[in-house]
Amino acid sequence: MRLSPDEIIFWQSGFVKLNATIVFTWVLMAVLVMASILITRRLSRDMTRSRWQNLLEIIVTGIQDQIREVGLKHPRTYIGFIGTLFLFVAMSTLSTIIPGFEPPTGSLSTTAALALSVFVAVPIYGMTERGVGAYLRSYLEPTVIMLPFNIISDLSRTLALAVRLFGNMMSGTMILAILLTISPFVFPVLMSALGLLTGMVQAYIFSILATVYIASATLTQKPSPARPAGET
Amino acid sequence: MLIDWFTVGAQALNFLILVWLLKRFLYKPIMTAIDTREARIRKERADADAIKADAETARDTFQKMTADFEQARAGLLQQATDDATAERQRLMAEAHSAADALAAQRAKALQTEAQALATSITDRAWDEVFAVARKTLNDLADVRLEDRICDTFVHRIQASGDQPDSALSTAIRGTSEPIPVRSAFDLSPEQHAAIRSALHDTFSTDAELTFETAPRLIAGIELTAGGQKLAWSISDYLSSLKASVGETFSARDASQAGPTADADRTQEKVSA
């Protein structure tokens, strides 16, 4: 049984190969970029605007609000990275309804690449926001003894990000394939719908976790103000 | 092996490219559109606030002007009312004054007319009485009026002697100064002698008599001594006639003044 679209190789020359993961990723990228170009080509700056522009504005402002709610005060700095994470994973999940389309996020290579991107982006944003010294010192907090644990924490959460997304996407695809072989068509449709739901949830979880990691890296530790009596 | 490291690197690169592309073609245009719209909305709101502030200012100004206008109108109306009242009172006072003046003038004219009429009647009565008496005396007794007057005066002197204790008798007897005798006409020496004789016989006095002519006595003779006077003249009759005519006119004026006064009082009530 095929567990990952990486195994579908269209072309290979030594180490370099062109598998289904990369190709379908390009397809998704093309769809996203073309849709963006088409919709933003005639953006209205007046009070009346098209429904597609409304959809995009809702999505973009929704992502902005989510980033702000997590605690990042300047969401526009991070919306390129976090918003693209969400849109890519969400579009990848949505693409599962197209017969024959292999979602790129069903490949552990893709999820690992995304997790690695987060793993790299977090310190970059942290150092940009707080300075290199301040960010590196955060690994020594609260004590020096915590340094290895902090490093292990970073690595483990990156691994967890990759495996969580891969496991969910792969399992959905696998369950669909297995059900198609043993049951009538109606039940796989329901499972496919459930897979869409879990995929969207995973897209939200992945991007929110990335936001939380970036927020924890960029926020400066400040003494918290005294809470009013009765507040929990 | 589930992880293909070439694919991992390629996907990471693909992801970074996608980030750049979406920033370029999605986030930036959308953000710009939103920013532009929000700026426009802010500007419109600011404009609306400014217009509202202007409108409120204009409204306040208008209300203040209206209040000032109402106050000024009320003040002008009050002033006009006061002026009208004062003017009315002034005109009423003028009318009363004019009415009073007219009434006084009318009363004075009536009085003057009455006096003129009385004078005219007196003059005509004098003339008529004098002429009738003269003509009667001439026709009946062939006696001049002046002679009869003198005789009458002599008789009156003699009659005064019947009351020796009267003030006239005392005055004539007690005077040592010349006694003036005035007459409306020139007395003849015989009449001088008759008067002197009558005085001497009646009052036993040797006082000198001075004879004067006084036309205002009107066919009469008078004698003055010690503040007492003895006289007879047609003027006395005429005086009594004049008094009678005067009383007649006074009664008529009173009867005419009554309705006129009532009419004046009625006019004052209407004006109030």
Side-chain angles (χ1 to χ4, degrees), chain A:
Chain A
M1 174 174 276
R2 178 169 48 82
L3 290 177
S4 168
D6 289 357
E7 297 170 13
I8 304 173
I9 298 174
F10 297 117
W11 175 83
Q12 183 168 14
S13 173
F15 183 66
V16 180
K17 64 185 75 169
L18 195 61
N19 53 29
T21 303
I22 297 173
V23 171
F24 286 131
T25 299
W26 286 350
V27 172
L28 276 182
M29 288 170 63
V31 168
L32 280 172
V33 172
M34 289 306 294
S36 299
I37 290 173
L38 284 177
I39 295 174
T40 59
R41 191 178 48 184
R42 286 190 298 270
L43 277 182
S44 165
R45 288 170 169 76
D46 297 330
M47 303 306 289
T48 56
R49 48 197 180 273
S50 67
R51 64 185 66 182
W52 292 107
Q53 184 179 345
N54 265 336
L55 177 67
L56 279 191
E57 288 189 8
I58 289 170
I59 292 172
V60 170
T61 53
I63 294 170
Q64 261 191 319
D65 292 342
Q66 288 296 324
I67 295 171
R68 190 181 290 111
E69 284 179 10
V70 168
L72 293 173
K73 293 179 181 175
H74 305 291
R76 292 196 179 189
T77 309
Y78 311 100
I79 192 171
F81 183 75
I82 295 168
T84 306
L85 268 180
F86 174 78
L87 287 179
F88 180 70
V89 177
M91 283 301 294
S92 180
T93 303
L94 279 177
S95 66
T96 57
I97 61 172
I98 300 172
F101 195 94
E102 293 287 341
T105 48
S107 158
L108 186 58
S109 301
T110 303
T111 58
L114 296 178
L116 282 175
S117 298
V118 174
F119 179 74
V120 174
V122 167
I124 289 176
Y125 281 126
M127 290 175 188
T128 305
E129 193 73 23
R130 300 169 58 182
V132 178
Y135 176 75
L136 291 180
R137 270 196 301 276
S138 67
Y139 280 92
L140 303 177
E141 292 172 353
T143 63
V144 181
I145 302 170
M146 294 300 290
L147 175 63
F149 299 102
N150 284 330
I151 294 172
I152 291 170
S153 168
D154 277 5
L155 291 174
S156 65
R157 76 189 184 191
T158 303
L159 182 63
L161 270 181
V163 173
R164 183 190 300 112
L165 182 58
F166 166 70
N168 278 282
M169 297 307 296
M170 186 268 290
S171 65
T173 310
M174 291 296 292
I175 288 171
L176 204 61
I178 293 167
L179 287 176
L180 278 174
T181 60
I182 63 172
S183 67
F185 283 96
V186 176
F187 196 63
V189 169
L190 293 176
M191 291 308 294
S192 181
L194 184 63
L196 278 179
L197 178 64
T198 56
M200 296 305 290
V201 171
Q202 286 306 313
Y204 177 74
I205 289 174
F206 196 96
S207 53
I208 278 293
L209 283 176
T211 311
V212 170
Y213 299 153
I214 292 172
S216 65
T218 55
L219 290 181
T220 308
Q221 291 291 333
K222 293 179 181 175
S224 58
R227 291 183 176 181
E231 187 178 338
T232 57

Side-chain angles (χ1 to χ4, degrees), chain B residues 154-193:
Chain B
V154 169
H155 289 156
R156 180 158 290 194
I157 291 171
Q158 292 169 344
S160 299
D162 298 337
Q163 297 172 340
D165 296 330
S166 65
L168 179 64
S169 302
T170 307
I172 291 174
R173 288 192 190 97
T175 186
S176 58
E177 295 176 355
I179 298 171
V181 177
R182 287 183 283 274
S183 60
F185 46 87
D186 292 335
L187 297 173
S188 62
E190 292 79 14
Q191 290 169 331
H192 288 182

